[in-house]
Amino acid sequence: MPSFWFTFSLFILISSFFSSSHTIEDDIKLSLIDFLQNLSGNNSDEVAKSFGWTISTDPCTDRWNGVSCNTRTGTLRKIILEGKGFNGSIDARSLCKATRLAVVSLHHNELQGTLSPEISDCKQLTHLLINGNKLSGSLPSSLSGLNNLKRLDISNNIFSGELPDLPSISGLRTFLAHDNKLSGSIPQLDFKNLDEFNISNNLFIGNIPQDAAKFGPGSLSGNPGLCGEPLKKPCQETLSKRKSKEISGEKLAMIIGYALLGFLVILLLAFMIYRRRKKKNSVKPVNASTTSELSEQRSPYSIGDDSNTASPVITSDLVVLKSGAIPELSFENLLKAPAELLAKSKVGSTYKVVLEEGRSTFVVKRVKDLKMLGKDFSKRMAMIDKGKHESVLPAVAFYCSKQEKLVLYEYQQNGSIINLLQGSGGGEHQPLTGWNKRLDIAARVANGLAFMHKELEDRELGHGNLKSTNILLDKNMNPLISEYGLTIQSETKSSFMDDVFNLGVILLELLTGRVVQNNGSELAQWVQSVVKEEWTVEVFDKVLTGETASEEAMVSLLQVALLCMNSSLDTRPSMAGVASMINTLRDEEEDRSIVSEV
Ligand SMILES: *[C@@H]1O[C@H](CO)[C@@H](O)[C@H](O)[C@H]1NC(C)=O
Ligand SMILES: *[C@@H]1O[C@H](CO)[C@@H](O)[C@H](O)[C@H]1NC(C)=O
Ligand SMILES: *[C@@H]1O[C@H](CO)[C@@H](O)[C@H](O)[C@H]1NC(C)=O
Ligand SMILES: *[C@@H]1O[C@H](CO)[C@@H](O)[C@H](O)[C@H]1NC(C)=O
């Protein structure tokens, strides 16, 4: 019965991928390649080639890097090229030859030039995320023609001039434009329906619309010409009605303001001098009292007798992978820094280490019992580091000697997806529990793992210790897979299959909201027993079923999870297979929400 069921659901899932024989036309492919060349600022076709964008391949079936398609309808839906260091410009005319694009995300590159009017040819655009670039000029008035737009993020650029007629975009949910040089008055957006709004640090002037006040001063400050609630600056009209006495009162306030500002500057200078002196004179004491583990005056990972001398020889043993980023990073500083034990398990302990008076915080993973020579460990770390994927947390540095293997990661303050499931999102963030977010996390994790499996195919080096506590959340609450390949003893085909099984467990956790204690088989059994009776919503997290999530999609993800956990290795899908199933689900959910929201 179960095996019939597995085969059946596998059939359904797989048939939905290959049912489409659509291909993208050559002129669209050529346009997209032009677009990528302009984006990279390099007219040689090497760049496009390195992303797999070639005329002889198909963007959808051959998976051009950064391109996602709706596999069912065979249409190009998303172009996501974030943080790739591109310093060219956005050739919107070529880009929007792919007229069905829904998502264009190019944030955190070094893009220059303007956003040209042809962007409105991408009529179905729902997400335009071009924040964190060096784009300039005024926004084209044609932008107001993008009436499917839900999320517009142009923040942290050099855009100037007045905003186009954005109020005509009725479904806009996000408008982030902070840190630009935009001017004019704030348009009358449909503030009631906006989730996110930030225009701080621009040159906007005039009254703040009443409904915009709910976003608080943080979303409006840094615009010297703005007045009214919630800023503590009343508007001119009311001022002129006041008596002259009050106006002179305002002048007084201004003088006091300047005096205060001067005082602050002096204070700041004094503080900076003090800090510099302090740094010169004092040697930072070892802060051992912060943790219970550190009963001795020594770092928890100090090494034999060398620890107190901290000779340059030791320093050089710390292999820094992320070059240039952190000047204060040395083995010596690590040993001196205060460390806090975060977690301890049979594969090793994890510490939080604060360097340079809190300027950088790292997580140090101390790997236990890894039967491996230091030389081989170094090779492995270098190899893992070669595979770079936005959902895989790269190690910052590592140290290995015969006795000790340490790996450093950047500390992620939002914790792991465990926090998310238990509704206690770390940091300032609200716990994110929605179905679309969970599906997105599932897809990103699967994509990251599929990428790594492909990169490390020759060595057959899997993650080896995949669990929800190892899936961290970055500052945008996107998942980061940490500790890839650290604890794995042997490189075998089955380490890939173990990852697939463990991803299945994580998918079940995301769906049910229950956290797995041991190896997940009990949870799988429970789910299967409920499922065998009849398809039922009972297994799903209550938080999800209360939402508008589609039960059908949740059931489909459940099927994927159970496929991953199939006891027979032969019927377990590969990670690439899992990724494409989840991507298809995510696309369909997005299309559904696009259709239902329009
Ligand atoms: C693309 O970039 C090149 C320079 O790299 C420029 O000459 C060309 O005009 C750009 N094309 C478009 C359509 O912007
Ligand atoms: C363009 O890319 C090619 C191949 O990657 C490289 O050799 C060349 O230096 C690049 N040119 C510029 C201007 O970056
Ligand atoms: C883009 O970066 C490349 C290599 O880093 C550099 O050669 C080129 O001049 C840059 N182009 C622009 C327009 O800044
Ligand atoms: C808006 O942007 C500013 C500037 O980047 C930032 O400091 C502020 O926290 C943002 N406000 C909100 C509410 O996110």
Side-chain angles (χ1 to χ4, degrees):
M1 166 68 183
S3 76
F4 160 75
W5 179 76
F6 278 127
T7 321
F8 178 70
S9 49
L10 188 66
F11 170 76
I12 298 268
L13 284 162
I14 288 181
S15 60
S16 68
F17 304 128
F18 298 111
S19 61
S20 62
S21 55
H22 318 268
T23 50
I24 306 295
E25 290 129 45
D26 281 355
D27 59 333
I28 294 179
K29 289 197 266 183
L30 283 174
S31 294
L32 288 178
I33 292 169
D34 281 350
F35 159 77
L36 187 61
Q37 282 179 2
N38 264 63
L39 203 68
S40 67
N42 186 335
N43 264 342
S44 95
D45 54 8
E46 290 300 312
V47 184
K49 249 190 225 151
S50 74
F51 278 75
W53 296 31
T54 59
I55 189 70
S56 56
T57 55
D58 186 76
C60 298
T61 53
D62 296 310
R63 303 226 200 116
W64 286 11
N65 203 334
V67 175
S68 309
C69 300
N70 182 327
T71 33
R72 206 165 24 92
T73 56
T75 44
L76 282 158
R77 300 293 286 159
K78 300 182 207 170
I79 297 219
I80 298 178
L81 296 165
E82 300 162 354
K84 303 281 185 208
F86 289 142
N87 67 354
S89 53
I90 303 176
D91 176 2
R93 184 192 296 270
S94 299
L95 172 69
C96 292
K97 287 272 162 37
T99 49
R100 304 277 306 271
L101 281 173
V103 177
V104 171
S105 182
L106 306 172
H107 63 74
H108 294 99
N109 282 293
E110 311 258 314
L111 299 174
Q112 305 175 7
T114 61
L115 184 65
S116 59
E118 290 87 352
I119 191 67
S120 64
D121 294 345
C122 289
K123 288 235 177 310
Q124 299 200 355
L125 218 51
T126 59
H127 293 63
L128 180 58
L129 311 174
I130 49 175
N131 46 305
N133 282 294
K134 293 175 183 163
L135 298 166
S136 57
S138 56
L139 293 163
S141 59
S142 67
L143 205 58
S144 56
L146 288 174
N147 44 25
N148 289 319
L149 211 53
K150 304 261 176 290
R151 314 262 178 215
L152 177 60
D153 192 345
I154 56 168
S155 60
N156 288 295
N157 277 293
I158 329 169
F159 284 120
S160 57
E162 297 192 8
L163 290 176
D165 181 25
L166 294 172
S168 63
I169 307 175
S170 58
L172 200 63
R173 307 283 295 279
T174 296
F175 180 63
L176 297 175
H178 52 85
D179 300 280
N180 275 290
K181 295 189 186 314
L182 294 162
S183 56
S185 54
I186 305 178
Q188 265 300 345
L189 298 166
D190 188 3
F191 292 106
K192 289 206 178 76
N193 284 324
L194 276 184
D195 305 331
E196 292 178 289
F197 173 76
N198 196 342
I199 56 160
S200 57
N201 302 334
N202 275 290
L203 302 166
F204 286 106
I205 53 166
N207 295 22
I208 294 166
Q210 208 174 12
D211 291 338
K214 72 165 182 185
F215 293 103
S219 296
L220 296 151
S221 59
N223 289 287
L226 279 185
C227 66
E229 285 298 323
L231 298 180
K232 293 202 169 42
K233 195 176 159 203
C235 290
Q236 215 73 47
E237 293 93 75
T238 44
L239 262 186
S240 63
K241 283 182 204 151
R242 289 183 187 183
K243 296 187 187 100
S244 57
K245 205 169 113 193
E246 277 175 320
I247 291 172
S248 76
E250 203 214 8
K251 267 184 190 157
L252 187 68
M254 221 164 88
I255 294 165
I256 293 175
Y258 279 124
L260 213 62
L261 193 69
F263 180 68
L264 277 179
V265 168
I266 292 169
L267 211 65
L268 190 70
L269 279 173
F271 176 71
M272 276 162 67
I273 293 167
Y274 167 76
R275 244 183 88 141
R276 197 173 275 187
R277 285 241 179 100
K278 195 177 156 207
K279 217 188 257 172
K280 262 188 201 158
N281 297 345
S282 71
V283 176
K284 192 164 5 92
V286 178
N287 190 350
S289 56
T290 49
T291 72
S292 53
E293 252 241 342
L294 302 183
S295 47
E296 358 164 56
Q297 284 286 91
R298 180 187 274 191
S299 207
Y301 33 77
S302 54
I303 289 142
D305 298 334
D306 307 336
S307 62
N308 296 328
T309 50
S311 65
V313 182
I314 296 174
T315 308
S316 69
D317 282 353
L318 188 77
V319 182
V320 178
L321 294 163
K322 202 176 166 190
S323 59
I326 311 116
E328 69 271 23
L329 190 59
S330 67
F331 193 64
E332 181 198 346
N333 283 346
L334 269 185
L335 288 181
K336 284 195 300 192
E340 178 191 338
L341 182 67
L342 290 180
K344 211 168 177 178
S345 74
K346 60 178 189 294
V347 289
S349 314
T350 310
Y351 300 88
K352 177 179 170 185
V353 177
V354 180
L355 279 187
E356 287 288 297
E357 287 150 7
R359 272 202 283 132
S360 3
T361 311
F362 296 98
V363 163
V364 177
K365 180 84 191 174
R366 180 185 191 185
V367 187
K368 227 173 44 182
D369 297 336
L370 184 62
K371 289 174 193 66
M372 189 174 215
L373 293 173
K375 186 178 67 180
D376 294 333
F377 186 71
S378 298
K379 255 195 221 153
R380 176 184 287 186
M381 289 308 294
M383 197 151 36
I384 293 172
D385 190 55
K386 268 202 226 138
K388 297 212 189 304
H389 189 275
E390 58 173 4
S391 300
V392 180
L393 183 65
V396 173
F398 66 92
Y399 170 89
C400 62
S401 67
K402 221 152 120 198
Q403 301 94 330
E404 199 69 57
K405 292 181 184 68
L406 306 175
V407 184
L408 258 81
Y409 295 98
E410 256 169 44
Y411 177 69
Q412 305 296 323
Q413 64 171 12
N414 286 328
S416 69
I417 57 177
I418 283 283
N419 300 63
L420 182 145
L421 290 173
Q422 294 171 342
S424 61
E428 309 145 19
H429 290 269
Q430 296 291 321
L432 290 167
T433 49
W435 160 245
N436 283 327
K437 185 68 191 173
R438 290 194 195 182
L439 185 57
D440 185 55
I441 285 176
R444 285 169 184 264
V445 170
N447 288 336
L449 289 167
F451 174 86
M452 293 303 281
H453 282 193
K454 184 148 198 306
E455 284 293 295
L456 300 167
E457 203 169 20
D458 301 343
R459 294 284 296 266
E460 305 200 336
L461 178 59
H463 183 290
N465 191 25
L466 193 67
K467 51 187 182 183
S468 44
T469 48
N470 277 342
I471 314 288
L472 307 179
L473 293 165
D474 71 8
K475 57 182 188 299
N476 299 318
M477 301 303 266
N478 288 327
L480 285 171
I481 302 160
S482 102
E483 302 189 11
Y484 194 99
L486 287 197
T487 49
I488 210 155
Q489 290 290 354
S490 63
E491 295 158 13
T492 64
K493 189 94 188 168
S494 73
S495 82
F496 284 168
M497 284 295 118
D498 285 351
D499 284 357
V500 171
F501 181 92
N502 290 332
L503 179 63
V505 175
I506 292 172
L507 294 180
L508 281 190
E509 289 179 321
L510 286 170
L511 280 164
T512 62
R514 297 181 180 216
V515 175
V516 167
Q517 301 302 339
N518 300 319
N519 67 357
S521 47
E522 298 128 52
L523 183 58
Q525 265 170 21
W526 173 69
V527 168
Q528 278 188 16
S529 69
V530 178
V531 160
K532 227 194 288 177
E533 300 301 318
E534 198 187 328
W535 281 121
T536 168
V537 292
E538 247 159 67
V539 291
F540 298 126
D541 194 341
K542 296 272 179 301
V543 183
L544 296 181
T545 48
E547 265 197 275
T548 53
S550 95
E551 197 183 316
E552 197 188 322
M554 289 200 279
V555 169
S556 300
L557 189 64
L558 189 64
Q559 287 176 315
V560 176
L562 293 175
L563 276 179
C564 292
M565 297 173 75
N566 201 338
S567 53
S568 137
L569 289 190
D570 297 335
T571 21
R572 245 180 243 175
S574 70
M575 192 57 84
V578 178
S580 89
M581 288 187 235
I582 304 178
N583 287 335
T584 305
L585 274 178
R586 184 174 61 171
D587 283 355
E588 285 175 358
E589 277 298 85
E590 199 158 275
D591 285 358
R592 197 178 65 93
S593 68
I594 291 169
V595 171
S596 67
E597 281 176 30
V598 164

